Amino acid sequence: VQLQASGGGLVQAGGSLRLACAASSRPFGEYSFAWFRQAPGKERMFVAAISWRGVDIYYADDVKGRFTISRDNAKNTVYLQMNSLKPEDTAVYICAASDRGATRTVNWYEHWGQGTQVTVSS
């Protein structure tokens, strides 16, 4: 499966962005998806995940209440709505997919996109 992330950009603290991850694959609905982020010099960190039916949803503690993950199976796209952005949210955001279910674990996911840069200014 190929994943293409988009929607990143430069935003002021307190602002919002919506990221999209478009997937080209066999039935989109068979995959669970996640967003991770990676800041310069730091390891890749879990942000949010959604199961193949959208029933199971997980968030990292530092984004809970600010970020929302969703999926549109008709458009083969997963979204990450990010509100109340903070400078510490600055990172490359990367989407990932697995046909084995959704978890918070980076090594669980078999398919990875290129990422999109999010920069939050103070």
Side-chain angles (χ1 to χ4, degrees):
V1 57
Q2 293 182 330
L3 304 173
Q4 181 65 50
S6 62
L10 173 64
V11 64
Q12 289 188 331
S16 298
L17 283 173
R18 188 176 79 156
L19 306 183
C21 177
S24 57
S25 67
R26 70 178 195 207
F28 178 83
E30 294 182 6
Y31 286 88
S32 296
F33 292 87
W35 288 96
F36 290 81
R37 64 187 180 186
Q38 189 164 17
K42 296 188 177 181
E43 63 182 15
R44 190 167 294 185
M45 301 296 291
F46 170 76
V47 176
I50 187 167
S51 62
W52 66 281
R53 289 193 299 172
V55 173
D56 299 316
I57 293 177
Y58 308 104
Y59 294 102
D61 288 342
D62 56 351
V63 307
K64 200 173 296 183
R66 299 189 297 123
F67 290 11
T68 302
I69 189 170
S70 62
R71 61 189 296 158
D72 186 337
N73 288 356
K75 296 183 178 180
N76 283 16
T77 303
V78 176
Y79 301 99
L80 185 68
Q81 178 67 43
M82 305 187 296
N83 299 328
S84 302
L85 283 161
K86 304 175 182 180
E88 51 264 44
D89 294 319
T90 295
V92 174
Y93 283 71
I94 308 158
C95 60
S98 172
D99 61 1
R100 301 180 294 165
T103 75
R104 295 176 172 87
T105 306
V106 62
N107 293 331
W108 179 262
Y109 294 88
E110 307 101 336
H111 309 284
W112 293 86
Q114 295 281 35
T116 184
Q117 176 70 46
V118 172
T119 303
V120 184
S121 63
S122 57

